[in-house]
C-alpha cells in the first residue's frame, strides 16, 4: 500500500514511525516531513496547505491513502479535493473541520445538539467583549475564534488581563483567526484528551492521554500547544471513557453527519472532568500533539487498517485496538522564548544517540542547514518519548535521554505526569 502522510511535526513523525512498521506498507511519502522522518520514507517539499500540489503528489505516487496530520490542511480543504480526485483520505472535510477551525461554530453546535460544555459568548468587537466579561467570574477564558497554532487561548486571572487578551486578539495578533473571540466559562476539574475514530457512520474510541499545556513546571507560565503527555492516565476510568464516548464523541459524530458533513478521521475530544460530568473544552479534528506521540508508542495494533477503514467507511469491520500494558510518556524540548517568541537556529546535538528500544525521539521543529547540522526550527523542537513498566520507569528513560541532548537555550518541563504521580 502506498501512503502519503501530510505534515511536518512531532505528531506526523510519530504517525510515520508507526505506519512504517506496518506489513501492509509498500511506500511512504511524507509531505513535507522533517529531518527526523527522512529514514522512514521519501520527503517531498510540498506545503501542507498547498491542496492542489498535494492532490497532484497523491496521484503521482499512486497513493492508496492520504493521511492528514495538521488542522491547517483540513481547513485548506485537502480531504474535499482528494474526494474529487478519488483518493481515499483519513481526515475530515473542511465543513466537518469547522469543529476546530471555528470555536464559535463549535459552541453553537454544542448548544444546538445539547452537548455538555461551558457557558459562552461570541463577540466581534472589543466593546461587546469587554461588556460580556460581566457575565463570567475569573479566571476568564478568552479564545480566538479561528486556528491560531495552539496560541489562541488565554486564561486570564484578572479583568485587566482579560481585557488585554481581548484587545490583543481583536487587534490582529492572530490575523483573521482573531477577528472574533469567544469568552467562555472556566471549567473546574481535571482535563483529559480522548480520541475517537469515525468513518462517516461508525465510530470507536482510539486512546486517551493527559497533556500539560502550561510552559513551565507547576502549571505556570503561558498556555502552549502542549509541553508533555502521558498515557494511560488514572483519570481515564472505564466509566469516564464511556461517558465521554456516549455524551460527547458519538453525539458529535451523529450531529455533524445530520448537518450534512459526515466525519472521517480522528476527533480529539478535549474535555474537563467536572463534578457534573465531562464537559467539552474543545474539539480538534486531528490527533493531539504531543498526545499522538504517546498513543503511537503504546499502540500494539497495526495503525494502517484503522486509517484505511476510516477513509473507506469500514470501521465496523475492525475490533477495538489493543494497547501495550506499559506506560508511555513524552517530554517536549522547546526553543528559548517559546511560546511567545521562539528563537530559531540553535544547534541540536546528541539526538542521534541510541537510547534503547523503549525510547523514541520525534522531531517537531527541526531543520538541517547546508552543512548538515541539525538546528531548531520551531517553538516545540523535539519530543523525547519512552515506554516503561509504569509512569515512573517511562519518565526515568525519557528524562535520561533528554539529559544527553544539547540545545542552547532549550527548555523542558521536569514534572510531566505529576497529576498521576501525586494521586
Ligand atoms: N496537545 C494539544 C493539541 O494538540 O492541541
Amino acid at each position: 500500500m502506498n501512503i502519503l502522510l501530510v505534515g511536518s511535526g512531532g505528531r506526523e513523525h510519530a504517525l510515520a514511525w508507526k505506519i512504517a512498521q506496518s506489513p501492509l506498507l509498500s511506500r511512504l511519502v511524507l509531505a513535507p516531513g522533517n529531518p527526523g522522518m527522512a529514514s522512514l520514507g521519501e520527503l517531498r517539499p510540498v506545503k501542507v496547505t498547498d491542496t492542489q500540489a498535494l492532490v497532484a503528489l497523491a496521484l503521482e505516487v499512486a497513493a492508496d491513502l492520504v493521511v492528514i496530520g495538521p488542522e491547517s490542511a483540513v481547513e485548506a480543504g485537502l480531504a474535499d479535493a482528494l474526494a474529487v480526485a478519488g483518493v481515499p483520505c483519513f481526515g475530515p472535510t473542511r465543513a466537518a473541520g469547522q469543529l476546530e477551525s471555528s470555536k464559535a461554530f463549535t459552541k453553537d453546535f454544542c448548544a444546538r445538539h445539547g452537548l455538555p460544555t461551558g457557558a459562552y459568548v461570541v463577540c466581534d468587537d472589543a466593546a461587546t467583549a469587554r461588556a460580556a466579561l460581566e457575565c463570567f467570574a475569573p479566571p476568564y477564558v478568552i479564545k480566538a475564534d479561528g486556528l491560531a497554532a495552539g496560541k489562541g487561548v488565554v486564561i486570564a486571572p484578572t479583568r485587566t488581563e482579560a481585557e488585554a487578551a481581548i484587545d490583543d486578539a481583536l487587534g490582529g495578533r492572530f490575523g483573521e483567526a482573531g477577528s472574533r473571540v469567544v469568552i467562555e466559562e472556566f471549567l473546574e476539574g481535571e482535563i483529559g484528551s480522548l480520541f475517537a475514530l469515525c468513518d462517516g457512520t461508525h465510530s470507536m474510541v482510539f486512546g486517551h492521554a493527559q497533556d500539560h499545556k502550561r510552559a513551565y513546571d507547576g502549571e505556570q507560565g503561558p498556555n502552549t500547544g502542549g509541553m508533555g503527555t502521558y498515557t494511560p492516565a488514572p483519570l481515564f476510568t472505564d466509566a469516564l471513557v464511556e461517558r465521554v464516548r456516549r455524551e460527547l464523541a458519538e453525539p458529535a459524530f451523529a450531529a455533524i453527519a445530520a448537518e450534512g458533513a459526515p466525519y472521517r478521521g480522528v476527533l480529539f475530544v478535549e474535555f474537563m472532568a467536572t463534578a457534573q460530568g465531562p464537559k467539552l473544552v474543545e474539539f480538534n479534528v486531528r490527533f493531539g500533539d504531543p498526545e499522538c506521540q504517546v498513543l503511537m508508542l503504546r499502540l500494539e495494533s497495526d495503525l494502517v487498517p484503522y486509517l484505511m477503514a476510516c477513509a473507506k467507511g469500514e470501521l465496523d469491520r475492525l475490533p477495538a485496538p489493543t494497547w501495550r500494558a506499559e506506560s508511555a510518556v513524552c517530554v517536549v524540548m522547546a526553543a528559548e522564548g517559546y511560546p511567545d517568541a521562539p528563537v530559531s537556529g540553535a544547534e541540536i546535538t546528541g539526538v542521534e544517540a541510541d537510547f534503547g528500544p523503549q525510547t523514541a525521539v520525534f522531531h517537531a521543529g527541526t531543520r538541517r542547514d547546508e552543512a548538515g547540522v541539525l538546528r531548531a526550527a520551531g517553538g516545540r523542537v523535539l519530543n523525547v518519548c519512552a515506554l516503561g513498566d509504569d509512569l515512573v520507569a517511562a519518565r526515568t528513560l525519557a528524562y535520561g535521554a533528554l539529559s544527553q541532548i544539547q540545545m542552547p537555550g532549550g527548555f523542558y518541563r521536569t514534572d510531566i505526569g505529576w497529576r498521576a504521580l501525586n494521586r
Side-chain angles (χ1 to χ4, degrees), residues 11 71 100 149-150 193 195 210-213 224-229 268 270 282 284 286-293 380:
R11 168 184 47 217
E71 63 277 16
E100 177 165 5
S193 306
F195 299 87
Q210 252 182 330
D211 187 12
H212 296 266
K213 294 280 215 178
T224 70
M227 291 298 290
T229 44
F268 166 2
E270 187 176 47
E282 57 189 44
N284 295 303
R286 35 117 189 142
F287 279 111
D289 187 347
E291 285 92 337
C292 184
Q293 289 79 324
R380 293 184 293 173

Side-chain angles (χ1 to χ4, degrees), residues 43-348:
L43 303 186
R44 294 296 193 93
V46 182
K47 275 193 180 159
V48 302
T49 49
D50 191 344
T51 298
Q52 290 316 317
L54 288 168
V55 172
L57 179 59
L59 295 172
E60 179 205 320
V61 303
D64 299 294
L65 176 68
V66 174
V67 179
I68 302 181
E71 63 277 16
S72 52
V74 173
E75 194 190 34
L78 181 55
D80 310 69
L82 287 165
V84 171
V87 182
C89 173
F90 176 85
T93 59
R94 192 164 195 269
Q98 289 179 94
L99 288 174
E100 177 165 5
S101 65
S102 170
K103 310 291 173 241
F105 172 87
T106 301
K107 284 294 208 178
D108 292 344
F109 175 87
C110 288
R112 279 198 298 283
H113 299 285
L115 274 67
T117 188
Y120 72 104
V121 178
V122 179
C123 308
D124 292 310
D125 66 85
T128 315
R130 283 165 177 258
L133 291 174
E134 279 303 330
C135 310
F136 297 91
Y140 303 95
V141 182
I142 317 292
K143 291 185 177 172
D145 178 49
L147 298 181
K151 294 175 203 141
V153 180
V154 174
I155 298 171
T158 64
R159 182 96 184 217
T160 310
E161 286 159 283
E163 290 180 355
I166 288 168
D167 292 344
D168 222 22
L170 291 172
R173 176 164 179 217
F174 308 110
E176 190 51 32
S179 61
R180 162 177 278 192
V181 294
V182 182
I183 303 174
E184 295 183 14
E185 174 189 0
F186 179 79
L187 297 173
E188 298 276 358
E190 205 172 321
I191 198 160
S193 306
L194 179 133
F195 299 87
L197 300 182
C198 187
D199 67 1
T201 309
H202 317 98
S203 64
M204 70 168 66
V205 171
F206 203 73
H208 40 73
Q210 252 182 330
D211 187 12
H212 296 266
K213 294 280 215 178
R214 299 293 187 125
Y216 314 131
D217 282 7
E219 305 310 326
Q220 300 298 309
N223 238 23
T224 70
M227 291 298 290
T229 44
Y230 57 104
T231 183
L235 171 71
F236 286 91
T237 59
D238 290 349
L240 182 64
V241 170
E242 181 55 15
R243 282 197 71 175
V244 179
R245 181 186 74 77
R246 215 180 46 235
E247 295 172 25
L248 287 168
E250 285 200 345
F253 291 138
I256 199 85
E259 292 195 1
Y263 196 96
R264 286 187 196 87
V266 62
L267 184 69
F268 166 2
V269 183
E270 187 176 47
F271 67 92
M272 193 66 78
T274 73
Q276 297 81 42
K279 291 191 182 180
L280 186 73
V281 174
E282 57 189 44
F283 285 129
N284 295 303
V285 298
R286 35 117 189 142
F287 279 111
D289 187 347
E291 285 92 337
C292 184
Q293 289 79 324
V294 288
L295 293 187
M296 292 306 111
L297 245 66
R298 268 196 83 222
L299 181 62
E300 202 163 44
S301 308
D302 185 352
L303 175 64
V304 170
Y306 290 90
L307 302 175
M308 191 53 127
C310 286
K312 294 208 155 171
E314 297 173 350
L315 203 52
D316 56 328
R317 298 193 193 167
L318 294 180
T322 58
W323 304 93
R324 293 182 199 284
E326 293 107 310
S327 289
V329 70
C330 170
V331 184
V332 171
M333 168 81 98
E336 182 179 358
Y338 177 75
D340 291 332
V343 177
S344 270
E347 182 175 348
I348 305 163

